[in-house]
Amino acid sequence: MLDKHGIPLVPSFASNDLGEILSESQRMRRPLVLKVMSSDVTHKTEKGLVAVNLASDREIMLAFAKLAESVKRQGIRVDTYLLQEQARGVEFMIGGKKDPVFGQTVLFGLGGIYVELYKDFSLRVCPITQGDAEKMVDETKARAFLEEGGFRGKKADRGRVVELVVKTAKLLEENPLVTELDFNPVIADEEKALVVDARIIVESG
Ligand code: ADP
Ligand code: MG
């Protein structure tokens, strides 16, 4: 779904096999992240299913063993292990929700675990224009990272972030069966804006 809408995902490789993961990891830029994907789990971090900062083969092997032990102990069904390059930059979130009255809505805010705490996000009903997306990013505190100079030495490219909001709104608009969408985080610096974690709920139609 992301590919179809030109939404860039951080370089990722899915497999359940440690040998395959190690061999693919040679072609990826380190440090890497290894996580367990499971349709049963919404918040992977809380279940100890995300290992970051993996710089060597040994660290990847240890992380795999630790994650495998963790899913076994908690009785979690594994869809796949996912190996990713570790993105650096500012964490944003782009979300979507199908409202029973307004239809598809799109959300934007700072990402990570504090979104729900700060309640600092902007919301629009789809479809949206480029101008709407620009207003959306300018309405939130996230704006500080997108302005000239950035914030505390961190800066992300406003155009790329805006473009991602527009593309996400298009995805929602063209997929009326999507009831919930969560790109959290989207990690952006001055050169790119990449989806790192995506959760999309589709109702059976
Ligand atoms: P979940 O939201 O289910 O706990 P995530 O995949 O979002 O799992 O990972 C949790 C956190 O780990 C992210 O918010 C981010 O801070 C960090 N993280 C995960 N994957 C990456 C990645 N590829 N690059 C950089 N940071 C990552
Ligand atoms: Mg996440």
Side-chain angles (χ1 to χ4, degrees), residues 51-163:
V52 298
N53 270 320
L54 310 176
S56 64
D57 286 9
R58 184 183 146 72
E59 281 170 343
I60 296 169
M61 282 189 274
L62 286 174
F64 187 90
K66 206 173 143 215
L67 294 177
E69 196 276 320
S70 190
V71 294
K72 196 169 160 211
R73 182 167 31 83
Q74 299 176 84
I76 291 167
R77 254 187 319 168
V78 177
D79 296 339
T80 185
Y81 286 81
L82 191 67
L83 182 70
Q84 298 185 321
E85 290 188 0
Q86 187 162 315
R88 292 219 280 167
V90 187
E91 299 199 357
F92 301 97
M93 79 93 186
I94 303 176
K97 208 168 204 125
K98 187 157 148 187
D99 181 90
V101 176
F102 297 107
Q104 296 294 28
T105 60
V106 61
L107 274 89
F108 172 81
L110 274 177
I113 51 176
Y114 302 120
V115 197
E116 286 146 47
L117 181 65
Y118 294 156
K119 300 221 183 326
D120 178 48
F121 54 82
S122 52
L123 175 78
R124 290 290 186 288
V125 175
C126 299
I128 61 164
T129 64
Q130 160 106 10
D132 293 330
E134 282 172 8
K135 284 195 199 110
M136 281 181 82
V137 308
D138 289 342
E139 269 169 25
T140 67
K141 296 207 169 68
R143 180 175 103 187
F145 294 100
L146 302 166
E147 284 171 338
E148 197 64 43
F151 181 72
R152 299 272 169 95
K154 281 197 160 195
K155 189 179 180 310
D157 184 71
R158 183 169 175 274
R160 284 188 171 79
V161 172
V162 167
E163 191 188 336

Side-chain angles (χ1 to χ4, degrees), residues 10-12 32-33 35 37 41-46 50-52 84-88 91 111-113 184-185 187 195-198:
V10 73
S12 302
L32 298 166
V33 176
K35 49 181 109 168
M37 305 302 288
V41 176
T42 310
H43 301 294
K44 295 179 283 299
T45 308
E46 284 171 21
V50 180
V52 298
Q84 298 185 321
E85 290 188 0
Q86 187 162 315
R88 292 219 280 167
E91 299 199 357
I113 51 176
N184 187 11
I187 300 187
V195 173
V196 160
D197 182 29

Side-chain angles (χ1 to χ4, degrees), residues 15 22 38 53 55 57 72 80 87 122 124 127 140 143 165 167 170-171 179 186 194 201 204:
S15 170
L22 279 173
S38 166
N53 270 320
D57 286 9
K72 196 169 160 211
T80 185
S122 52
R124 290 290 186 288
T140 67
R143 180 175 103 187
V165 174
K167 284 178 174 172
K170 266 242 162 64
L171 184 158
T179 54
V186 164
L194 302 171
I201 311 283
S204 45

